[in-house]
Amino acid sequence: FVYFGTVPVDLQSPEAKLLIPYTRAVLDALGLKNGASHGEVMMTPNGPCLVEMNCRAHGGDGNWRPLCRGLTGGYSQVEATVDAYL
């Protein structure tokens, strides 16, 4: 297993239809309701497998923020979290 970068997944793809409910269920089980979260999930032949889930923004260097803003209409986890608490 080698991690290399971030690739957006189409919301209508079979992978997204498994990953989104799985990730939301993990957040619910951990009691995380507000703020940024960072999750890593591997797809296996048996379905999603949790690697990591934390209550923090994705990545420390911020190189992902331009991609995120482009995909979400201008927001990243950082801006959305600040707006939620203002």
Side-chain angles (χ1 to χ4, degrees):
F1 162 67
V2 176
Y3 174 82
F4 182 77
T6 302
V7 178
V9 176
D10 185 324
L11 291 175
Q12 300 306 315
S13 70
E15 295 84 5
K17 290 182 181 197
L18 290 172
L19 289 170
I20 293 169
Y22 178 86
T23 302
R24 287 181 175 162
V26 170
L27 292 168
D28 288 344
L30 293 172
L32 299 173
K33 301 292 181 198
N34 298 303
S37 65
H38 169 79
E40 295 179 19
V41 180
M42 289 179 57
M43 289 301 293
T44 72
N46 296 324
C49 178
L50 183 64
V51 175
E52 173 189 2
M53 184 64 69
N54 285 291
C55 52
R56 65 175 176 84
H58 172 77
D61 59 8
N63 66 0
W64 51 272
R65 288 178 70 202
L67 172 63
C68 184
R69 284 189 191 119
L71 293 170
T72 62
Y75 277 98
S76 75
Q77 287 180 318
V78 175
E79 288 90 6
T81 300
V82 170
D83 285 352
Y85 286 97
L86 292 179

